[in-house]
Amino acid sequence: MRTLVAFLLGLILGGIAMLFLPDPRRDELNAEVRKQTDALQTQLHSFGDQLKTLSLPKPEEKASPSPSATGAQ
């Protein structure tokens, strides 16, 4: 999560810096941001694949699906 926040902060600061930088440096920043977004997209795809294969533990059959109304009058 910390990595994602740092990445987004870098994108925001990079976008602001691109407004004030000369063209050659702006092109370098664009290439760097493109690499970072591609890496983030790859990580999100792998995370999605992990979630697809995630198996959650099944609840016990004795447990009631809703809370009981004991004590509520």
Side-chain angles (χ1 to χ4, degrees):
M1 184 65 160
R2 195 179 310 167
T3 306
L4 179 62
V5 171
F7 173 77
L8 293 176
L9 184 61
L11 283 178
I12 292 169
L13 291 176
I16 292 171
M18 285 183 359
L19 295 173
F20 301 104
L21 291 176
D23 286 337
R25 180 67 180 132
R26 192 178 304 169
D27 293 337
E28 290 175 22
L29 268 177
N30 280 335
E32 182 65 31
V33 168
R34 193 170 298 120
K35 281 190 245 178
Q36 291 179 355
T37 54
D38 290 342
L40 180 62
Q41 185 176 12
T42 303
Q43 289 176 353
L44 285 175
H45 280 292
S46 68
F47 181 65
D49 292 340
Q50 288 176 2
L51 286 177
K52 287 178 187 175
T53 60
L54 181 69
S55 62
L56 297 175
K58 295 185 179 184
E60 296 179 19
E61 291 182 18
K62 293 180 182 178
S64 71
S66 60
S68 62
T70 57
Q73 293 184 4

